[in-house]
């Protein structure tokens, strides 16, 4: 299955999610680990679409999400910064999800500067992340 | 907002629905009215995307779905046959939703021949419609 960039934008406008997790982590100096991820969830019957996304981007994994739902997921910071973010900068999302994407990008730029390794940086990222996915229904 | 065909295909692969309602109706000879509809539902914050779909296709309406969700909806048989179906014939859906689309098209072709006005036709349409949207989560 061959995907076109605009199909991906439309599909992600519908089904994609940009999320930043901030989890307690004893081994980090700040006490927290920042975990950004880009995911697209589908019923397992459409797993071939998730694999097509993985092939298109050349990064990420296809995993069980829960129950009979599967997810295409990119967590690697390098892949997010070098592949996923440039793609959605070049091909803008058309829904309000673009606002989440911009906040997601902001967090990744902070991480690129290493700010997620300082307490002040984690607090700034927490502030940005708290404004994401507001009122989303899934 | 200007939409490209492939963006629409991707968005409908995620968010669109092809549905055939068969409702009791006293004034129809068969006792039933067949109501095909194509819908795309979004939170009201993305109403501009629904209006962009309406502009692109030049048919249909944008209405409240329920609560804070809005729907772009095409019910007119002429618009479905002359605009919506040819669009998705020329630009194939990539998910399993394409199977629903083909059944939806089958129903519309039956209706174009007037078969929904006979009891046998309604039964055939009921058989096709019963195989649509199976296991869909929304």
């Amino acid at each position: 299955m061959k995907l076109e960039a605009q199909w991906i934008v439309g599909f992600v406008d519908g089904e994609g999610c940009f999320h930043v997790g901030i989890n307690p982590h004893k081994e980090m100096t700040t006490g927290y680990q920042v975990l950004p991820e880009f995911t697209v969830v589908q019923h397992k019957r459409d797993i071939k679409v998730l694999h097509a996304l993985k092939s298109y981007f050349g990064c990420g994994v296809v995993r069980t999400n829960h129950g009979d739902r599967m997810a295409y997921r990119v967590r690697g910071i390098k892949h997010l910064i070098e592949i996923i973010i440039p793609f959605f900068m070049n091909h803008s999302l058309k829904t309000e999800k673009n606002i989440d994407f911009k906040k997601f990008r902001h967090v990744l730029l902070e991480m690129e500067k290493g700010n997620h390794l300082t307490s002040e940086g984690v607090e700034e990222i927490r502030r940005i992340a708290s404004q994401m996915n507001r009122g989303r229904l899934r």
Side-chain angles (χ1 to χ4, degrees), chain A residues 4-67:
Chain A
E4 293 177 39
Q6 277 299 310
W7 183 90
I8 293 173
V9 178
F11 198 60
V12 169
D13 260 321
E15 303 283 286
C17 184
F18 299 94
H19 180 258
V20 176
I22 301 170
N23 301 331
H25 194 294
K26 279 187 290 191
E27 288 171 42
M28 307 294 287
T29 313
T30 60
Y32 291 96
Q33 186 177 32
V34 177
L35 287 171
E37 65 176 16
F38 166 57
T39 51
V40 181
V41 175
Q42 286 294 285
H43 189 277
K44 65 183 178 189
R45 77 180 145 246
D46 278 310
I47 191 172
K48 68 181 190 300
V49 169
L50 300 181
H51 281 292
L53 286 169
K54 182 183 166 184
S55 294
Y56 184 94
F57 288 119
C59 65
V61 295
V62 175
R63 291 282 187 276
T64 297
N65 190 41
H66 58 85

Side-chain angles (χ1 to χ4, degrees), chain A residues 1-133:
Chain A
M1 184 191 297
K2 199 164 174 299
L3 303 181
E4 293 177 39
Q6 277 299 310
W7 183 90
I8 293 173
V9 178
F11 198 60
V12 169
D13 260 321
E15 303 283 286
C17 184
F18 299 94
H19 180 258
V20 176
I22 301 170
N23 301 331
H25 194 294
K26 279 187 290 191
E27 288 171 42
M28 307 294 287
T29 313
T30 60
Y32 291 96
Q33 186 177 32
V34 177
L35 287 171
E37 65 176 16
F38 166 57
T39 51
V40 181
V41 175
Q42 286 294 285
H43 189 277
K44 65 183 178 189
R45 77 180 145 246
D46 278 310
I47 191 172
K48 68 181 190 300
V49 169
L50 300 181
H51 281 292
L53 286 169
K54 182 183 166 184
S55 294
Y56 184 94
F57 288 119
C59 65
V61 295
V62 175
R63 291 282 187 276
T64 297
N65 190 41
H66 58 85
D68 51 9
R69 296 182 77 74
M70 308 290 294
Y72 167 61
R73 191 178 71 204
V74 184
R75 280 188 176 162
I77 292 174
K78 185 178 159 73
H79 289 151
L80 290 170
I81 289 175
E82 293 181 2
I83 300 174
I84 302 299
I85 286 177
F87 176 85
F88 289 105
M89 289 300 285
N90 289 332
H91 308 282
S92 292
L93 292 157
K94 292 182 185 295
T95 65
E96 295 292 306
K97 201 169 282 180
N98 200 34
I99 296 170
D100 286 340
F101 166 70
K102 286 178 181 164
K103 293 182 193 299
F104 185 77
R105 175 173 176 264
H106 187 167
V107 168
L108 266 299
L109 293 177
E110 292 292 320
M111 295 181 80
E112 200 174 21
K113 290 185 278 186
N115 290 349
H116 59 302
L117 304 174
T118 69
S119 292
E120 295 75 14
V122 169
E123 283 316 303
E124 169 67 1
I125 290 170
R126 193 190 301 279
R127 192 188 61 74
I128 300 165
S130 73
Q131 297 166 355
M132 292 174 65
N133 305 307

